Amino acid sequence: MTTTDERAEQRRRDIVDAAFKVFSSRGYHAAGIADIAAELGIGHGTFYRYFENKRDILVHVVAEAAERLMSVMVEDDPHRTATLTDYRQQTEHICTRLFTLFAEDRALTRLLFVEAIGADPEMTAMLQRIYEAMAVGTEQYLRNGVEKGFLRADLDTEITAKALNGMIIASGMSLLSAKDPIAERDRWIRAGIGVMFDGIRGERP
Amino acid sequence: MTTTDERAEQRRRDIVDAAFKVFSSRGYHAAGIADIAAELGIGHGTFYRYFENKRDILVHVVAEAAERLMSVMVEDDPHRTATLTDYRQQTEHICTRLFTLFAEDRALTRLLFVEAIGADPEMTAMLQRIYEAMAVGTEQYLRNGVEKGFLRADLDTEITAKALNGMIIASGMSLLSAKDPIAERDRWIRAGIGVMFDGIRGERP
Amino acid sequence: MTTTDERAEQRRRDIVDAAFKVFSSRGYHAAGIADIAAELGIGHGTFYRYFENKRDILVHVVAEAAERLMSVMVEDDPHRTATLTDYRQQTEHICTRLFTLFAEDRALTRLLFVEAIGADPEMTAMLQRIYEAMAVGTEQYLRNGVEKGFLRADLDTEITAKALNGMIIASGMSLLSAKDPIAERDRWIRAGIGVMFDGIRGERP
Amino acid sequence: MTTTDERAEQRRRDIVDAAFKVFSSRGYHAAGIADIAAELGIGHGTFYRYFENKRDILVHVVAEAAERLMSVMVEDDPHRTATLTDYRQQTEHICTRLFTLFAEDRALTRLLFVEAIGADPEMTAMLQRIYEAMAVGTEQYLRNGVEKGFLRADLDTEITAKALNGMIIASGMSLLSAKDPIAERDRWIRAGIGVMFDGIRGERP
DNA sequence: TATGAATGAGCTTTCATTCAT
DNA sequence: TATGAATGAAAGCTCATTCAT
């Protein structure tokens, strides 16, 4: 019967969700397996039927969080746009979705950008790979723009993608402690798009 | 006697340095007080004569590291420059110094951007304050540019400063795993300055 | 229905056999109920339908092993022999059968003389009773010899039986780590019989 | 100062002694580190300053117990005796000392012959090495007797030594559950020596 | 009858911190 | 002032046993 498998799969998801909650609130090191189990109202032995150990669940929690983040980033087609205006609008949509995610799901932001990062060397490496993947995603948009001719031809797409990524992460961190996240988000959208496209310098003669 | 105080002060510095080394290599949680003491060849009971506890030393280590970072950022006078060219050169100098610091002192980068960030809630708060301070520093440069008229008048200096900060931190993270940090640094300087000033879009008509 | 009972009885035997295998290879404490169930390809909940708990199965496994050992010891009739030569031959047969059992079924040897002995206080007591029973068996042969007059009249049959038992157990332990068990067994038969009957001292004048 | 080292050495010995007591009474697996610490009235963290882990202390406890046993066995010079009478007396002395040890220090007997034997595979191997060493010791006495001509020339000294060892161990086990250990010991001495030297058969014609 | 998901008692081990010397 | 032996809270993890299905 599939029911058993489905139930197991559901429980795995429940544990990942509970762990996500616990890790992002208490922090990875301060959190215990007992906290996760208590969050679900299950025995802590049950946890070990579904996950190898504490690190194992962290990997799954981070993987899922990263997937959610990535799915927001790659929702658009990098090759769709052909003009700067079009492209700018696409970027605005992506940023809106991302910053909204950050503003609404502070736990995710906290987990990915704060709690997981120094959990242990391998976790740090995993997050660096995630940042790298984000950058690769961003770079595709940039490449498309350079190829279509509406972005600077001399753009170092790799580094620039990482730099833009840094801005995105900074927005997440900033929204984390914002008093009015929605208002702050809107400022980030405007200001962020502004820097990205036009830079900071004044109007050219 | 001053000598005694001086000696004590020296020892405090030694401990901070040793802790810096240990935390940035092993990671905060994986590191033990015994490791720090061993690094200095002192008894680990001695540690507690100079610092309250493990968190206390982390605070000092992070504070010192942050100070080093800040000193590089504020070495220039934010109000000195009057033209865009001048300003761009100043920015290039600052970025060069910063990225060189990141490339040369990976331990500092690792400590500030990786190990300390999720150590515990208060540490996270402290680092957010540090990022905030960095942003405030950056903002002064931007304000000067806006006031002098060579930066966009409508610049949201606060958010933009944070965004640029994010780029700076991203460069640090990137250099952390770079194979050839010096070459990577130079790409970051060029590409970073490029995005900052001109944005990513192609030449205007 | 008898069929049901027979099936149940068969399953009990299967579980005892599987447990025997698992305990003698992994060791009692290192072995888990799950290992026994896995060996049989049954659910480990099923185990508890046939045996009370882990100790219960050990008792059964040890009892069965002890029975096999005892059956080899009592195969002969203690009262049959009337002369020393006859008796010596009988002893040789018994030793051959015993040592062959040890050489061929190392698992049994291991279980009885190694794994079960310190499993827990009650198990230790059970094994002491088993050793005692073996000694009682051995003593019957000695008594017969003393009565018939071909063994020393002053023999402390009880202690001597225990001592001979010790030799038998020592042979089992020795064969456990023997490279060539069959060859080693033959040496044990000869040397063992030699000590038993003649002792170690040289020819009498 | 040596005092510190001496104190540490004393504590190590104390822990070994306490562990010896606890292991031989509760049994290795049933005993916890906490029991050992409680026996000494020290914190259980202290235990780990002196021993790696639970297995480590068992190794030390068994090694010490084995050493005590061995020291009793090798107290005499295997090459000293030149006549059977002399030799028999020597053997009697050794057996007396051994059996007295068993009768008086049941904990040692229990530890070596019961608790440690199946603790884990490596422990089993260690004990087999100890039995082997005992056998090697015994064999030296036999070899001397064969060389000097008062023991049977055709003696398989290796196997015979193991067989005698088995008798010795059996005496230990027997004394473990004896009601009057001293009386039982004396019977073992007489009966044991009897079998060893003269075997069981009646007077020769 | 057979199952295996759930459980939690209970163990080993670590390490920040204390304090007598 | 410097030390490191002692400590015990606290955590991760295992596995025999139960019981609803």
Side-chain angles (χ1 to χ4, degrees), chain B residues 6-116:
Chain B
E6 274 169 3
R7 201 174 297 199
E9 197 43 48
Q10 181 56 42
R11 179 143 276 193
R12 280 181 70 86
R13 277 195 299 269
D14 289 346
I15 294 176
V16 169
D17 289 350
F20 170 76
K21 221 188 250 183
V22 170
F23 286 158
S24 58
S25 59
R26 287 217 224 299
Y28 175 69
H29 277 105
I33 297 299
D35 296 319
I36 298 170
E39 176 79 26
L40 280 174
I42 63 172
H44 60 276
T46 307
F47 170 91
Y48 286 91
R49 298 195 62 75
Y50 294 89
F51 295 92
E52 283 290 307
N53 52 35
K54 200 183 172 187
R55 279 217 61 245
D56 187 25
I57 184 72
L58 179 61
V59 168
H60 282 85
V61 166
V62 168
E64 206 203 64
E67 210 167 330
R68 279 170 62 201
L69 182 63
M70 291 299 284
S71 78
V72 165
M73 292 191 74
V74 301
E75 210 171 289
D76 279 73
D77 175 10
H79 308 292
R80 205 200 68 209
T81 54
T83 69
L84 183 60
T85 317
D86 209 17
Y87 183 74
R88 187 163 186 149
Q89 210 160 41
Q90 186 188 49
T91 309
E92 213 167 302
H93 286 153
I94 297 173
C95 283
T96 302
R97 287 199 308 268
L98 271 174
F99 297 171
T100 301
L101 177 68
F102 294 153
E104 288 179 350
D105 196 341
R106 317 272 266 270
L108 179 138
T109 316
R110 182 162 212 93
L111 183 91
L112 282 181
F113 302 148
V114 174
E115 299 303 343

Side-chain angles (χ1 to χ4, degrees), chain C residues 8 11-12 24 28 32-33 37 44 51 86 100 110-111 115 123 125 149 178 191 197 200:
Chain C
R11 177 143 278 190
R12 280 183 71 87
S24 57
Y28 175 68
I33 297 299
H44 61 276
F51 295 93
D86 210 15
T100 301
R110 184 163 210 92
L111 183 91
E115 298 303 342
M123 201 62 220
F197 282 86
I200 56 178

Side-chain angles (χ1 to χ4, degrees), chain A:
Chain A
M1 229 202 301
T2 330
T3 317
T4 297
D5 286 0
E6 273 169 6
R7 203 172 298 202
E9 196 42 50
Q10 183 55 45
R11 179 138 277 192
R12 278 184 71 87
R13 278 196 299 269
D14 289 346
I15 295 176
V16 169
D17 289 350
F20 171 76
K21 219 188 250 182
V22 170
F23 287 159
S24 57
S25 59
R26 288 217 222 300
Y28 175 68
H29 277 105
I33 298 300
D35 297 320
I36 299 171
E39 175 77 26
L40 282 173
I42 63 174
H44 62 278
T46 306
F47 170 90
Y48 287 95
R49 288 189 55 76
Y50 294 89
F51 295 93
E52 285 288 308
N53 51 38
K54 201 182 171 188
R55 280 219 64 240
D56 189 24
I57 184 71
L58 178 62
V59 169
H60 281 86
V61 166
V62 169
E64 207 202 63
E67 211 167 330
R68 279 170 62 200
L69 182 63
M70 289 299 284
S71 77
V72 165
M73 294 191 72
V74 300
E75 211 171 286
D76 280 73
D77 175 10
H79 308 292
R80 207 199 67 208
T81 53
T83 69
L84 183 60
T85 317
D86 210 16
Y87 183 75
R88 188 163 186 150
Q89 210 161 40
Q90 187 188 49
T91 308
E92 213 166 303
H93 285 152
I94 297 173
C95 283
T96 303
R97 286 200 308 269
L98 272 174
F99 297 171
T100 302
L101 177 68
F102 293 154
E104 288 179 349
D105 196 341
R106 318 270 267 270
L108 181 138
T109 316
R110 184 164 208 93
L111 183 91
L112 282 181
F113 302 149
V114 175
E115 298 303 343
I117 234 183
D120 70 58
E122 287 171 44
M123 202 61 219
T124 303
M126 181 177 172
L127 271 161
Q128 279 175 328
R129 280 197 303 276
I130 290 171
Y131 292 170
E132 187 65 32
M134 282 171 66
V136 167
T138 305
E139 198 183 356
Q140 304 214 343
Y141 290 98
L142 296 180
R143 280 245 185 83
N144 174 56
V146 171
E147 275 160 22
K148 300 269 174 69
F150 53 75
L151 292 189
R152 283 187 5 236
D154 65 334
L155 214 59
D156 182 335
T157 53
E158 191 191 333
I159 298 291
T160 305
K162 285 183 181 175
L164 297 182
N165 244 301
M167 287 175 48
I168 290 170
I169 293 172
S171 85
M173 294 290 289
S174 174
L175 293 174
L176 216 47
S177 48
K179 270 158 210 156
D180 182 350
I182 296 303
E184 183 100 342
R185 175 200 66 177
D186 292 338
R187 284 178 69 192
W188 266 97
I189 294 170
R190 188 168 6 222
I193 297 288
V195 196
M196 273 194 219
F197 282 87
D198 306 320
I200 55 178
R201 70 162 154 173
E203 287 307 311
R204 307 176 199 196

